[in-house]
């Protein structure tokens, strides 16, 4: 079933911003509970949109949301209101996290006592990271330390206030928001701009991708380098862990996605982006299939990729060829809705598009594997007194 375009949102063009303020949508994000969508629409602006979209947006192909006189436009949809965050710099990275519940006697004004709230981190062109409280739109922190563009951000998925940032200054930095945004670690090891960072769902590992042929895998416990993942023939630009932390995928300008076992460093599968000639014109260059983004689906059975050949591809883990395609122009990033069924993509034009995605009922075998791999490493599985074929299935050697 091919992805269907449900809606395309286009940014307004506030005149007061200098034309040099990039209009690209380098990052899109859903909140962990699926209640909010964040869109870096260019011109130093982030839109926070309540999810699901209204019938007006989902019922038409395009919907322009324009600001009048440069002022933020908001409207009510139930209790939630759309918000505009004016960041003052080009926005490159976005990441949501649930703020830990406040304790009795806690005077933190950001959240009511006993009620968790939602925060959004934005990585900016000048090296700053601004952290916002979503419900109010208030700025909570400005984190300083990076010397160049903050290209990507990743919160620890377990709800802890640990934030990792990736920058063009060739470093990753670890921040603790529970300690007023204190910088707790600088990770050095890349020799090129760092494009992407991803924390594993079990919060044990961190993967980072830079303009290099190898990705780096770090320990989130000791903040030390575990290994280099070498296998790509060009710059690695995107990475993501499976929901059970048992798989890691990396995407590269070499037009390949490599699926790794992060515990052993073994390459399990390579997915090659073969151009579809009908979608390309005769002037296309050799790098038309250069990848931009890769992400896992919430149940861990599918991947989505965006490449420069004007296609959104959806892959099933058991096949080496895509199971679905959709034509899209100038794609830069993609992400799944946390409860499945939708994919959001961002483009160089500052647009965001929402697509249908395959819905799947996971088999009992996959659910058992996912439950076991959530807390067992590959080495622990291999040590179990169980048949070899079962071990191969649990370690994704067979799909």
């Amino acid at each position: 079933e091919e992805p269907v375009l449900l809606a395309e949102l286009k940014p307004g063009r506030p005149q007061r911003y200098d034309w040099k303020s990039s209009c690209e949508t380098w990052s899109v994000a859903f909140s962990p509970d699926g209640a909010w969508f964040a869109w870096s629409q260019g011109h130093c602006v982030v839109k926070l949109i309540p999810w699901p979209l209204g019938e007006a947006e989902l019922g038409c192909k395009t919907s322009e949301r324009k600001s009048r006189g440069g002022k933020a436009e908001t409207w009510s949809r139930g209790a939630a209101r759309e918000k505009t965050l004016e960041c003052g710099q080009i926005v490159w990275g976005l990441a949501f996290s649930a703020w830990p519940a406040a304790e009795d006697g806690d005077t933190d004004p950001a959240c009511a006592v006993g009620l968790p709230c939602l925060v959004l981190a934005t990585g900016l062109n000048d090296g700053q990271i601004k952290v916002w409280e979503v419900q109010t739109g208030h700025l909570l922190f400005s984190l300083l330390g990076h010397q160049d563009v903050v290209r990507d951000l990743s919160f620890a998925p377990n709800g802890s206030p640990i934030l990792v940032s990736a920058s063009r200054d060739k470093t990753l930095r670890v921040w603790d928001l529970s300690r007023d945004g204190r910088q707790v670690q600088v990770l050095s090891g890349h020799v090129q701009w760092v494009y992407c960072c991803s924390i594993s769902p079990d919060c044990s590992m961190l993967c980072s991708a830079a303009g290099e042929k190898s990705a780096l895998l770090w320990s989130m416990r000791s903040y030390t380098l575990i290994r280099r993942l070498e296998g790509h023939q060009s710059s690695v630009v995107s990475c993501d862990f499976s929901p059970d932390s048992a798989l890691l995928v990396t995407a590269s300008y070499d037009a390949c996605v490599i699926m790794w076992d992060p515990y052993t460093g073994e390459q399990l599968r390579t997915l090659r982006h073969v151009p579809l000639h009908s979608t390309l014109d005769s002037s296309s260059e050799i790098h038309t299939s250069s990848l931009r983004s890769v992400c896992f689906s919430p149940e861990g059975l599918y991947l989505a990729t965006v490449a420069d050949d004007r296609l959104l591809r959806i892959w099933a883990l058991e096949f080496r060829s895509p199971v679905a395609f959709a034509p899209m122009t100038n794609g830069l990033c993609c992400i799944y809705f946390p409860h499945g069924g939708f994919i959001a993509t961002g483009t160089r034009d500052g647009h965001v598009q929402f697509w249908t995605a395959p819905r799947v009922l996971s088999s009992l075998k996959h659910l058992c594997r996912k439950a076991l791999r959530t807390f067992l490493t590959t080495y622990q599985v291999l040590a179990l007194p169980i048949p070899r074929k079962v071990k191969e299935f649990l370690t994704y050697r067979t799909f």
Side-chain angles (χ1 to χ4, degrees):
E1 201 174 305
E2 302 299 327
V4 175
L5 181 61
L6 295 175
E8 181 173 9
L9 307 182
K10 300 179 180 180
R13 298 287 192 253
Q15 295 300 312
R16 61 179 173 168
Y17 290 117
D18 190 306
W19 66 271
K20 293 180 181 179
S21 295
S22 170
C23 69
E24 292 97 339
T25 294
W26 286 103
S27 185
V28 292
F30 285 103
S31 62
D33 62 0
W36 289 90
F37 176 76
W39 163 31
S40 63
Q41 66 170 38
H43 300 281
C44 311
V45 170
V46 172
K47 284 283 189 180
L48 278 169
I49 303 172
W51 188 269
L53 297 179
E55 293 182 5
E57 288 92 345
L58 287 178
C60 62
K61 289 293 183 184
T62 62
S63 174
E64 296 195 16
R65 298 166 179 241
K66 296 185 177 180
S67 300
R68 294 183 177 88
K71 294 184 179 179
E73 175 188 325
T74 64
W75 72 84
S76 288
R77 184 178 300 136
R81 293 172 62 87
E82 179 181 309
K83 298 172 180 65
T84 299
L85 305 179
E86 299 191 16
C87 298
Q89 290 281 329
I90 299 169
V91 181
W92 291 82
L94 298 172
F96 279 103
S97 182
W99 192 265
E103 302 293 335
D104 290 339
D106 193 339
T107 58
D108 185 354
C111 304
V113 172
L115 294 176
C117 65
L118 192 65
V119 298
L120 176 71
T122 55
L124 307 182
N125 200 63
D126 63 354
Q128 277 193 83
I129 301 166
K130 290 187 177 180
V131 183
W132 311 79
E133 204 279 299
V134 170
Q135 291 294 337
T136 63
H138 292 158
L139 179 64
L140 297 177
F141 301 109
S142 289
L143 309 180
L144 304 176
H146 281 297
Q147 305 302 308
D148 207 334
V149 172
V150 177
R151 186 63 184 82
D152 196 23
L153 297 162
S154 182
F155 274 104
N158 62 359
S160 74
I162 297 299
L163 173 67
V164 175
S165 54
S167 171
R168 284 186 181 176
D169 67 10
K170 306 175 186 177
T171 70
L172 299 116
R173 294 172 191 253
V174 184
W175 313 83
D176 188 345
L177 300 191
S178 68
R179 300 164 68 183
D180 295 324
R182 179 178 175 180
Q183 179 179 290
V184 297
Q185 194 74 32
V186 178
L187 304 181
S188 301
H190 287 291
V191 295
Q192 299 292 339
W193 293 351
V194 190
Y195 289 120
C196 183
C197 60
S198 179
I199 301 175
S200 62
D202 65 4
C203 298
S204 67
M205 297 172 284
L206 166 71
C207 183
S208 57
E212 304 158 10
K213 295 180 182 179
S214 59
L216 301 188
L217 196 65
W218 309 81
S219 167
M220 280 296 290
R221 298 186 175 97
S222 62
Y223 298 122
T224 56
L225 182 65
I226 299 174
R227 65 172 52 87
R228 291 181 179 270
L229 300 173
E230 298 181 340
H232 284 291
Q233 302 304 308
S234 188
S235 299
V236 185
V237 294
S238 183
C239 57
D240 195 24
F241 284 93
S242 62
D244 59 5
S245 304
L247 295 173
L248 170 68
V249 288
T250 54
S252 166
Y253 286 159
D254 65 10
C256 291
V257 169
I258 297 180
M259 196 179 301
W260 310 81
D261 184 322
Y263 295 102
T264 66
E266 181 182 350
Q267 293 185 38
L268 302 180
R269 180 160 292 185
T270 298
L271 307 177
R272 303 184 188 281
H273 287 62
V274 179
L276 297 185
H277 297 291
S278 61
T279 66
L280 303 175
D281 58 43
S282 58
S283 64
S284 295
E285 297 179 358
I286 191 170
H287 297 299
T288 50
S289 292
S290 294
L291 284 164
R292 293 291 170 179
S293 184
V294 61
C295 62
F296 265 100
S297 62
E299 80 292 323
L301 288 173
Y302 289 94
L303 295 172
T305 59
V306 170
D308 283 349
D309 62 358
R310 308 172 193 166
L311 287 174
L312 165 67
R313 288 174 172 86
I314 298 177
W315 310 73
L317 290 194
E318 63 267 31
F319 301 122
R320 295 181 185 272
S321 297
V323 296
F325 300 87
M328 65 172 298
T329 304
N330 296 329
L332 289 176
C333 58
C334 61
I335 191 169
Y336 271 89
F337 180 62
H339 306 309
F342 302 100
I343 297 173
T345 58
T347 76
R348 284 191 180 277
D349 309 307
H351 300 185
V352 62
Q353 299 167 324
F354 299 98
W355 306 85
T356 58
R359 288 188 178 273
V360 61
L361 185 62
S362 298
S363 67
L364 182 58
K365 285 199 308 180
H366 175 66
L367 290 174
C368 291
R369 174 173 59 186
K370 185 177 174 182
L372 286 170
R373 292 311 310 272
T374 298
F375 64 90
L376 290 179
T377 69
T378 300
Y379 296 114
Q380 290 171 326
V381 170
L382 295 176
L384 294 174
I386 56 178
R388 178 177 58 84
K389 287 189 176 181
V390 178
K391 291 182 182 180
E392 289 175 350
F393 176 77
L394 290 177
T395 57
Y396 291 89
R397 269 61 181 177
T398 60
F399 291 89

